[in-house]
Amino acid sequence: MSASRVAWFKGKLVPEADARVSFRDFGFQVGDGVFDTARTVAHKPFMFEEHIARLYRSLAYVGIDPGLQPAAMLEATLEVLEANLPLIGPDDDYWVTQWISRGVRAEDRLGVDGPATVIIECSPLPLRHRARGMRDGLDVVTPAGIRRTPPEAISPRVKSMSYANLLAGDNEVQRLKPGATSVLLDTRGCLAEGLGSNIFIVHGGEVLTPHERFVLGGLSRQTVMAIAADKGISLREADIDLYDAYSADEAFITSTSWCMVPVRSINTRSIGSGEVPGQVTARLIEGYREKLGGFDFVAQYTRRLEGAN
Amino acid sequence: MSASRVAWFKGKLVPEADARVSFRDFGFQVGDGVFDTARTVAHKPFMFEEHIARLYRSLAYVGIDPGLQPAAMLEATLEVLEANLPLIGPDDDYWVTQWISRGVRAEDRLGVDGPATVIIECSPLPLRHRARGMRDGLDVVTPAGIRRTPPEAISPRVKSMSYANLLAGDNEVQRLKPGATSVLLDTRGCLAEGLGSNIFIVHGGEVLTPHERFVLGGLSRQTVMAIAADKGISLREADIDLYDAYSADEAFITSTSWCMVPVRSINTRSIGSGEVPGQVTARLIEGYREKLGGFDFVAQYTRRLEGAN
Amino acid sequence: MSASRVAWFKGKLVPEADARVSFRDFGFQVGDGVFDTARTVAHKPFMFEEHIARLYRSLAYVGIDPGLQPAAMLEATLEVLEANLPLIGPDDDYWVTQWISRGVRAEDRLGVDGPATVIIECSPLPLRHRARGMRDGLDVVTPAGIRRTPPEAISPRVKSMSYANLLAGDNEVQRLKPGATSVLLDTRGCLAEGLGSNIFIVHGGEVLTPHERFVLGGLSRQTVMAIAADKGISLREADIDLYDAYSADEAFITSTSWCMVPVRSINTRSIGSGEVPGQVTARLIEGYREKLGGFDFVAQYTRRLEGAN
Amino acid sequence: MSASRVAWFKGKLVPEADARVSFRDFGFQVGDGVFDTARTVAHKPFMFEEHIARLYRSLAYVGIDPGLQPAAMLEATLEVLEANLPLIGPDDDYWVTQWISRGVRAEDRLGVDGPATVIIECSPLPLRHRARGMRDGLDVVTPAGIRRTPPEAISPRVKSMSYANLLAGDNEVQRLKPGATSVLLDTRGCLAEGLGSNIFIVHGGEVLTPHERFVLGGLSRQTVMAIAADKGISLREADIDLYDAYSADEAFITSTSWCMVPVRSINTRSIGSGEVPGQVTARLIEGYREKLGGFDFVAQYTRRLEGAN
Amino acid sequence: MSASRVAWFKGKLVPEADARVSFRDFGFQVGDGVFDTARTVAHKPFMFEEHIARLYRSLAYVGIDPGLQPAAMLEATLEVLEANLPLIGPDDDYWVTQWISRGVRAEDRLGVDGPATVIIECSPLPLRHRARGMRDGLDVVTPAGIRRTPPEAISPRVKSMSYANLLAGDNEVQRLKPGATSVLLDTRGCLAEGLGSNIFIVHGGEVLTPHERFVLGGLSRQTVMAIAADKGISLREADIDLYDAYSADEAFITSTSWCMVPVRSINTRSIGSGEVPGQVTARLIEGYREKLGGFDFVAQYTRRLEGAN
Amino acid sequence: MSASRVAWFKGKLVPEADARVSFRDFGFQVGDGVFDTARTVAHKPFMFEEHIARLYRSLAYVGIDPGLQPAAMLEATLEVLEANLPLIGPDDDYWVTQWISRGVRAEDRLGVDGPATVIIECSPLPLRHRARGMRDGLDVVTPAGIRRTPPEAISPRVKSMSYANLLAGDNEVQRLKPGATSVLLDTRGCLAEGLGSNIFIVHGGEVLTPHERFVLGGLSRQTVMAIAADKGISLREADIDLYDAYSADEAFITSTSWCMVPVRSINTRSIGSGEVPGQVTARLIEGYREKLGGFDFVAQYTRRLEGAN
């Protein structure tokens, strides 16, 4: 099936296999680029405009001109999606991602030689693989030796193609607890973020999440904030250390693909009663379903467990 | 000429234009890879073994298996070089670089799908472009808003393909002083390093350079250390702040391509008398020439200015 | 004209040229003193009581007794102003400043020899010089090598006569970008303050300014806070890093003499659309005019450009 | 006697009372200047050249041109000294100080109006007042709430006229323990320096003193270093915390006027046996006497106690 | 009287003298345990449930199972109290404390040998000793050399039996100012907490107290928060530095035994007018009395001064 | 056998079971005490004088007077040892420990009521339990959420009875990797120390260990330093981060009971070739045996594996 998927590359749709970049591409050589990724919900675009707006904020920060305006970027994205949708089943969905690097580096390395590299593509969500996590909750582990890069070195709010810090943190976690979900601490010892995910804890009915200064301002995070406001659930940004985490009543993670997923343990300590989802999490999940027009993203994952296990 | 250069790709030599990686390559998407780069000296390999040894230390740290042993990596590197040497003039030289990423990411993003990506290639040194810098000394500027990532986030000693921090620092400098050479401060306010370069200052006859904990342990840096030891010049690692820098008698930068190049100013303040190279720098340059078997790397650069200017 | 201006010195009005302090004055030798400065608005005192109240908080902190009570200080200040007002034109205005040092140091340096030095004086505002900045917006640059002194060393809320830190920051900026306005970062990499000025950014309709713990609690800053509250504009103290700054919709600076002035760029990055003043800034400026009893402080500056340029 | 002392002011010798600066002087208003101070030893200049060399390093850092070359500065200094020497007794000595500010601030505060302010003067050493400290050792207290300004804010190696940080630290100490000698900790909790003094501790025969990056590189400190090298006493710069301090065998302070003075307690804890000077300190004092051509600076102080007490 | 007091030990009431632990107890050897302490109010339990709930949070954090459920712990506590109440006078009250260590360490130190050590006991409040402090206000001093352990080393919210940091801070204060009340600064230079006490300052009618991340979340602190909310007094957690402290209008301390007690000075600086209690403090004290069912805890202390002094 | 062991308690030998402390003991309640522990080597005291000297440095720091002089402490210690030696086998050995707390807390908690608590006791080394670690090397893991307390909070050089920080770190490690050896990072992300152990790494023939400012100055650590000096092996204190650790050629740990033990992995990464002991470690072990008069401490451990496993 992958054989027939297409990607936007050099301004037009090409088979994915033809979307290849030079080894001199700044993105490949030195991670000099940014990206953004949205998901479909029941084959429909969800918050594509917001993701593209964030993409352009990242582009502005690093000073890359993608060569097309946000509206054209959206149009191209929808075009890629439309072409690829027939290739997945009705209960599947896509990540839809724009990868934009500074372009091809001049052969004498003195700058860029030509336009930015712009690739737009669809990747199927790994629903089956993650179904158990959605049902049972994730086991979060914080790596010991890798702290999240502090904002004064490079702001985590730029969705940069240089992920070495988050990858090294995850690598360390996988060595100690294979299959765990890594969430890095910041240099002050507070919870920061994982590989493209945001974390939330619930304490005495109040929902807390790290300050945006230290993490990517995820759009699912923002969606949860809006839901909490709608439902009258108190939610605020805070410095959250491991004492807070271990004594939380509930915890959950947001990301584009998960939307929301409960956390059942942090560093092997059960969160709250250990039952997932907790009560506040469940209300927010309900709210998220409403935001998705009633689409049950939890069931989309957990259905994969039927007959399996 | 570039048309006929070749690169090592998927285990064999191919025209450079054919060495293209999937947009799903971990190197392209998230900078998940490492590299190392050596240079030729009068068309001869220089310290290739040492560079490859460091490459394997970087690989070990990030947990990537390149699929071939160091000796084979060296052999492949020499093969690429041999094929490309006829394409440059007798007074030109090459960067020779291994780029190694974790490989192609599975389409559901759940890990790597196949072997590591290994590319070995030659790029001509920008001798003409940099000739003036070699003759007159570089103007160093430290960016205000970007500090070098601290070792607890990701060690600068891994030559990672995630360069966003160094690139953002350089970007900031180019906006304020186009053409200046960026050297980042660390989070404690001490000199750290630039884009692939190390900095040294000379104070009262003693040579100081930042501790390796905060910077890449450059092989040219190491060469200068060896020369200093040979010549009885005191050289040590130190925490160097801007007061030290501004009141230095001399300063210089090392990198694979520059070998050594004098610095004439830091943040617009002239270093020492403003004449370059300073006396100690000159002795070290002389020692570097000897290490290169008498090859005059300074003249290789500055010859490009003849007839020009 | 300067010849005939008077200052308060040793308890009475004297020609400015006679207000001279011993080289042994603690203020001169080691910056051991505090000051405060208000401005006139259309020749009328503005917030003189509040400035004097802050002056006495500074005095209390450093343990200097000025030898007269706040009411007497105010009276003396008004006396100086009254004497000097005839010396400026109807569209000019004054800074009115109290400089208070610990007094004259004993010749054996073992303490103070006599009463505190109290000087009260008027200085004409440099309206013409700054007119362009008011019209076009200021270009803010953050120095690389000088971070604002942290509160645990000396609180920035004391308006001390020891300005070396702010001066060194400004000096660094002037070397790189002559004419730019310096705003220092704090030791955590967040915006702090400039030479006697506070900075604000506007983000999504909300106004942010650094926490008072890290900056002088400027009275113009306080005025803007009051205006925002009056007009229902959300304004809060925050940790503001350069990502926030670069992606701000608007920015402005407050100081006693400027009242408010738009910022058009930070580290060469245009703020928002680049048009000044931004919409929220304009509303606050309007509110500031109302606080000044309708006096158009913007026009007072920009009128100086007529016929000029 | 003070009536007839003279100072260098505006390029010539004047009675001290005539050496008065405008309240607009940058030194008075905002501590924008630098100074250096040497002492006489038995009426002879001691290390005047070195002090003036350091003065010019401070001037270079802050970018002030004093309008005369180092040789002329030395000549003027000697002239001041010669004129004032007859005014003190044969067993007295002078501090000899150059105070150099940026000059008089323009009345519209837009820069400097005229040349730098240069004042050179003599102040008698407070030998009697300090005699007991020399005999019994000083009681050092570290202030709780004031840490020494970190180098990234303003380097302590510039002998700036902005002393608010050191003064606030001393003020806090005097409130808690009147008469104690303040030595500030740096922001990492290590010993830094006092008001114009450096501290040393002796541990197991080795002498330790804070790294110069965090303190003024005192010339007496440098003299002690040279003496230690001469006498084969191990001495090195180190991070010294309060555990080191409390468990030290000996401690002493250096400054221009004290030369060296023993410390008998730190934060009320007796150092070593409590007897002063300790053995290593005594050897260094002996070496210091030799450096002074045999002059007994200790006796010069303690003679003041005879007949007294 | 102490002879006849009883304690809960090994599951039953025993004379206090029989409640002795092995020198191998983890609590004795390495402070491996937690505790909590409540007080009686007019011989009645006050917030015992809340204290026990916090005790179990501490137990969970350190992973100690006390071998009985919270309800049984409460029952045992009340039993101890009941047995001991007849031993104090009608105007006296008790601290009632649970001490729970990991148990007895195996003789080869390889773990615990048997159940947790659980001791519950009553100690009479030192009302007479503290009466003057309640009447006149406490003199708070912050130690210079000991900062409160940061949360990333060990969270201050666990009421651990390892008190070395708080004890060392208090020790330093007692050496400099015998009788003063120690309050440690955190590693950022902000007020943290004292030996089992929380500090509050009042500024312009608003009450501020350190963030719970840096201090024990005292139950008296929580009570004051509830009172403030009831009475419409603004109260919030904040970073409070010494500038805030010195310029506060009022200050007070809370602890289980004091409930609330005014602070009259911090580092020898009088707070506000120097009169205690301040106006806001007085309102909160009034509210505290109401929470205690009208019991006048202030008078309980100050009555001890009658006839005395 | 334990039944008949004796301990020093209240100035005389008593059966261990009688050496019990009041629950009011400052050591039990708040970890207010210090200790030191030496070991026997083939039933002979080893470095007892040095351990007792360190004990008295700890006592001095916390201000506890044990009521007997070092010589008497040594004598008592030897007396305890002599009485207990008959109770272990010829191939066994003892830890010999002095536990000294401030004494019994007054019942109103207002200070100490009586003399310091002094207990001296013998505990058999867990040779069998640790035999495998000695043979195969230890697996070191650094905890993620617990950093070693920084020296400005409480110096790690005091061997305090407040171990909550080290215990919490070990607890976290045991949850993630049961049986691993915990070594905490300091707040800068560098290796610090474990529960009573010091760590060393070997890099290119040079041995590195953390600076004593951040760790206990272990006597085994000191012994290794002396051996290295004797054997001409370069050894120095350094800031060692995890990059250094992972790329080390060898690593080992020292403690009183282990003397020296190889490390085979850090955070699951094999050190060097994975073979233990490495070459330099083996030379140091050999030197350690010589220091022990030829006693083979390694064989003492590994003999326990014979017949087993």
Side-chain angles (χ1 to χ4, degrees), chain A residues 143-147 163-175 182 184 195, chain B residues 32 61-62 102 152-155 158, chain F residues 246 269:
Chain A
I146 301 289
R147 296 285 172 103
Y163 251 47
N165 167 248
L166 288 164
L167 292 163
D170 190 57
N171 186 13
E172 197 184 274
V173 165
Q174 298 313 322
R175 285 171 162 278
S182 58
L184 281 69
L195 272 164
Chain B
D32 189 8
Y61 185 86
V62 297
R102 198 172 298 276
E152 64 182 322
I154 187 73
S155 177
V158 177
Chain F
Y246 297 161
R269 294 174 186 257

Side-chain angles (χ1 to χ4, degrees), chain C:
Chain C
M1 197 187 297
S2 145
S4 39
R5 252 196 335 258
V6 296
W8 175 276
F9 184 59
K10 300 201 176 185
K12 60 173 193 287
L13 294 189
V14 300
E16 281 199 353
D18 293 351
R20 306 180 77 79
V21 300
S22 166
F23 69 86
R24 292 198 193 280
D25 195 280
F26 265 108
F28 178 72
Q29 290 198 347
V30 287
D32 189 8
V34 299
F35 69 103
D36 221 293
T37 199
R39 65 163 283 182
T40 56
V41 168
H43 289 217
K44 298 280 178 305
F46 180 65
M47 298 184 82
F48 275 30
E49 286 84 354
E50 288 84 350
H51 280 279
I52 284 172
R54 186 173 66 181
L55 174 69
Y56 278 79
R57 287 198 298 274
S58 293
L59 287 164
Y61 185 86
V62 298
I64 292 176
D65 173 2
L68 62 176
Q69 296 299 309
M73 185 70 75
L74 176 58
E75 194 177 346
T77 302
L78 294 172
E79 204 177 319
V80 174
L81 175 59
E82 187 179 14
N84 289 323
L85 270 178
L87 302 172
I88 52 171
D91 196 29
D92 288 322
D93 268 307
Y94 273 131
W95 270 305
V96 187
T97 306
Q98 300 88 18
W99 305 97
I100 301 177
S101 83
R102 198 171 299 276
V104 177
R105 201 175 185 179
E107 66 173 35
D108 59 4
R109 301 191 180 175
L110 290 174
V112 65
D113 191 4
T117 300
V118 179
I119 294 171
I120 309 173
E121 52 92 12
C122 294
S123 296
L125 296 181
L127 298 165
R128 180 179 309 277
H129 177 82
R130 291 177 164 186
R132 197 180 307 264
M134 183 58 92
R135 184 189 64 189
D136 300 340
L138 301 180
D139 294 308
V140 164
V141 171
T142 61
I146 300 289
R147 294 286 171 102
R148 187 71 183 104
T149 304
E152 63 182 322
I154 187 75
S155 176
R157 286 182 279 179
V158 178
K159 210 164 168 60
S160 157
M161 287 161 75
S162 284
Y163 251 45
N165 167 247
L166 289 164
L167 292 162
D170 190 57
N171 187 13
E172 196 184 274
V173 165
Q174 298 313 322
R175 284 172 162 277
L176 280 166
K177 279 286 169 196
T181 299
S182 58
V183 173
L184 280 69
L185 301 176
D186 65 28
T187 55
R188 306 165 311 151
C190 294
L191 289 177
E193 62 184 338
L195 273 165
S197 68
N198 291 114
I199 190 163
F200 294 73
I201 68 166
V202 183
H203 237 301
E206 192 175 36
V207 185
L208 306 175
T209 194
H211 286 285
E212 193 184 320
R213 198 161 96 72
F214 300 101
V215 300
L216 185 74
L219 288 166
S220 310
R221 174 180 182 269
Q222 195 173 302
T223 300
V224 164
M225 287 173 161
I227 295 166
D230 288 353
K231 293 193 176 289
I233 296 171
S234 169
L235 183 157
R236 62 184 173 85
E237 294 185 332
D239 292 333
I240 305 171
D241 64 23
L242 285 175
Y243 183 88
D244 295 307
Y246 297 161
S247 57
D249 302 321
E250 310 174 26
F252 60 90
I253 272 177
T254 60
S255 81
T256 290
S257 45
W258 282 115
C259 300
M260 286 178 62
V261 58
V263 167
R264 80 172 158 191
S265 74
I266 299 181
N267 291 343
T268 77
R269 294 176 188 256
S270 287
I271 298 306
S273 66
E275 298 275 298
V276 298
Q279 205 174 336
V280 174
T281 306
R283 286 181 62 202
L284 291 165
I285 286 174
E286 185 48 39
Y288 215 115
R289 279 196 200 100
E290 293 159 13
K291 286 274 178 195
L292 301 183
F295 178 77
D296 190 341
F297 65 94
V298 173
Q300 185 186 34
Y301 276 97
T302 55
R303 267 197 293 276
R304 265 66 182 180
L305 290 170
E306 287 159 21
N309 200 357

Side-chain angles (χ1 to χ4, degrees), chain B residues 261-280:
Chain B
V261 57
V263 167
R264 80 173 158 191
S265 74
I266 299 181
N267 290 344
T268 76
R269 293 175 186 257
S270 286
I271 298 305
S273 67
E275 298 274 298
V276 298
Q279 205 174 336
V280 174

Side-chain angles (χ1 to χ4, degrees), chain F residues 102-123:
Chain F
R102 199 172 298 277
V104 177
R105 202 175 185 180
E107 66 173 34
D108 60 2
R109 301 192 180 171
L110 289 174
V112 65
D113 190 4
T117 300
V118 178
I119 294 171
I120 310 174
E121 51 92 11
C122 294
S123 296

